[in-house]
Amino acid sequence: MNIKKLVKYSFIVISVLIFFIFGINKIILSQIKKNDIVKEHIATLLAMQENMNKLIKDIDNTANINELEKIKKDFFIYENKFEKIKNRLVSLENQNILGLFLIEIHKKEQIQSNIITLTQNELIIENSFDILFDIKSEKINYQNLFNNLYPKESKIRTQIEQKIMTQHNFLLLKEFSDMKYYSKEILFQHKNQKSFTQWIDKINSLIKHSQIEELNEYLIIAKSIGGYILKIEELKAEENKLVKSITQAISSSNKINAEVKKDIEKLSLEFQNTVYTISTILFLITILFIIILSYKVNKNVSLSVNEIEQQVHNGLEEINKLNQEITDTQREVVFTMGAIGESRSKETGNHVKRVAEYSKLLALLSGLSEEESEMLKQASPMHDIGKVGISDAILNKPGRFDENERLTMNTHAQLGYDMLKHSSRNLLKTAAIVAYEHHEKWDGTGYPRGLKDEEIHIYGRITAIADVFDALGSDRCYKKAWDDEKIFKLFMEEKGKHFDPTLITLFFDHLSEFLKIRDNFKDT
């Protein structure tokens, strides 16, 4: 095969490889989204389980039938939500060929096993809840009957005592005292069948030895009250046994909840490592093919001097085209990946374009060469690439972050650097610096390393100003765009704090040029 055909076919193969890389990236991003959905479902599942557990505790503490009915209604709501989310989780299926290589969180054995156990516990709790509800309802009913009848028992007992006192009969007084003692035993202390029987026996003895009419009515009331108390005690025993079983299931679920959360974090990290490995392999395959191509070209050159000169000339043109294509493709990949990072947080593609243009302009003004400034322009779109590792629940939260969410969000700088730091390409090395240091602050209060002053690379200081200037002037899911006066005021206040004071001076000295860039790349 002659050199021309070899180069031609090689170019086709390289094009196919590049197209394949883009396809793989799309599938990877799709899998990332799918795993994020799975994590969200599992988190919601755990939350439903915890809410159901809390209602179990609430039902044990309530003594009101209306509150009991409300707890039952809330429990069934959570139960239905739990079932729906569980069914959604089960219905998720692998939709791409990379399922053999990429981790699918919900299909991992330890996650599936824990979810199955969690579901079994939930079924135990559901069944136990129904029984516990019936026991609690019956117990409240008997307690209400007791509460309604007890004042009458106390009243009649007082009347009986007054009549016995007027008779001055020591034996009757002693029997009444015994009856009163056992009434307190059954009502407030032992609450068992033995005390109840002794109470009834004492009432019958009084009836036998006296003519007090109220004793017959008191006997009827005592039998009813005693029956209520014994039934309540019987229900309490059943309730305690059931609560013990539920508590064991809840304890098991709580332990599983912690294990599932820990497993999800571990699997997410494994997924990121797998994605990085696949991307690196594809990149190395492309480089290896180019090396082989170069070797073949060198080995098969056997032309005359004139032919060699002509072929070299033609070959150089083809190689230049290929190199330019590879360079353009590399830049396009960098820009596209940067746009992907921004799009996950609902930001427009024009944001990365504006940041790129601002960065180049500020780099030139600061004294960097045209070549280095252009390199920074090409790399700056990757400043937030680490956001692909942040969940949508945090990334697109419409309000302020809590402390844990803020700490999680701040990890995107480290994530971005870890994704890019292994490359020996100048463009990606520049992108790694930008991703790592664009949130550092001049006064040392930034993250992730708390660098200060000129410890922060010039690329990071420049991109920080470009990124903040554009972010403040753009709408986000958590805020509206600021007006220019407010932005400029903040920049002056943060001069020497957040931002490099020299760069801020250059920014304001050439403000019209920055505003022109903003106008040229407005969001549509």
Side-chain angles (χ1 to χ4, degrees), residues 62-65 68 136-144:
T62 187
N64 183 288
I65 196 67
L68 200 62
K136 197 70 177 183
S137 299
E138 190 176 359
K139 182 180 168 185
I140 290 174
N141 181 54
Y142 280 116
Q143 188 64 52
N144 289 336

Side-chain angles (χ1 to χ4, degrees), residues 370-413:
E370 173 68 31
E371 181 181 358
E372 193 171 8
S373 299
E374 179 64 24
M375 182 74 72
L376 179 58
K377 172 186 173 181
Q378 299 300 332
S380 62
M382 295 283 279
H383 65 280
D384 276 340
I385 187 61
K387 287 182 180 179
V388 300
I390 306 298
S391 70
D392 287 341
I394 294 177
L395 200 59
N396 298 317
K397 182 178 179 180
R400 287 185 174 274
F401 294 138
D402 61 29
E403 185 61 24
N404 288 334
E405 290 168 339
R406 169 54 59 191
L407 291 175
T408 300
M409 186 63 183
N410 287 353
T411 62
H412 81 274

Side-chain angles (χ1 to χ4, degrees), residues 404-454:
N404 288 334
E405 290 168 339
R406 169 54 59 191
L407 291 175
T408 300
M409 186 63 183
N410 287 353
T411 62
H412 81 274
Q414 183 70 51
L415 289 173
Y417 175 71
D418 290 342
M419 292 168 65
L420 302 169
K421 67 181 180 181
H422 300 288
S423 175
S424 60
R425 297 285 177 176
N426 289 334
L427 180 57
L428 293 180
K429 288 166 76 173
T430 301
I433 293 171
V434 168
Y436 203 24
E437 298 188 13
H438 74 288
H439 280 295
E440 300 288 357
K441 295 184 179 180
W442 184 259
D443 61 3
T445 61
Y447 65 87
R449 292 184 293 164
L451 302 179
K452 63 186 296 187
D453 300 342
E454 294 187 356

